Amino acid sequence: MEKEAMNREILEIVEPMFRRELQVTEFDPEAPLVNYGLDSIRSISLVVEMEAAFDIRISDEQAAGMRTLRDVVEQVSQSLSVQVGQGGDDA
């Protein structure tokens, strides 16, 4: 899948998670998430939800780097790409 299309699909899934958790109606994908009230507890909750939704693992270091919604989409995209690249060793 083309990266831009994949990122759009990821955004369509993660944006509602963030809107619900932070109780906001809209997001600027470039704005810092702390501006919307993201704190460490909400961040952990969202990371766990994203890991379950996409069947990926996001490390604490990766989570710390996710400062905007655009960063979140990029991290999920990278995690999915790594996961795809790891499969198929049992041939």
Side-chain angles (χ1 to χ4, degrees):
M1 177 184 300
E2 175 188 323
K3 182 176 179 170
E4 189 175 313
M6 183 167 81
N7 284 357
R8 267 195 311 274
E9 286 187 25
I10 293 168
L11 181 62
E12 289 174 9
I13 295 168
V14 299
E15 185 177 7
M17 290 177 186
F18 278 77
R19 279 191 278 126
R20 184 186 67 249
E21 182 72 31
L22 301 175
Q23 300 176 351
V24 296
T25 55
E26 295 185 10
F27 263 104
D28 172 355
E30 303 298 333
L33 292 168
V34 295
N35 291 1
Y36 296 103
L38 184 68
D39 57 23
S40 59
I41 295 187
R42 288 180 170 154
S43 178
I44 292 167
S45 173
L46 285 161
V47 166
V48 168
E49 189 173 354
M50 288 185 294
E51 287 177 331
F54 294 100
D55 192 25
I56 58 173
R57 171 79 177 101
I58 299 173
S59 72
D60 292 344
E61 293 79 20
Q62 291 166 327
M66 298 186 304
R67 301 188 192 288
T68 67
L69 200 55
R70 177 99 43 229
D71 293 341
V72 170
V73 169
E74 198 58 42
Q75 182 57 58
V76 170
S77 176
Q78 288 175 11
S79 295
L80 287 168
S81 296
V82 167
Q83 183 183 51
V84 168
Q86 289 178 350
D89 286 347
D90 56 352

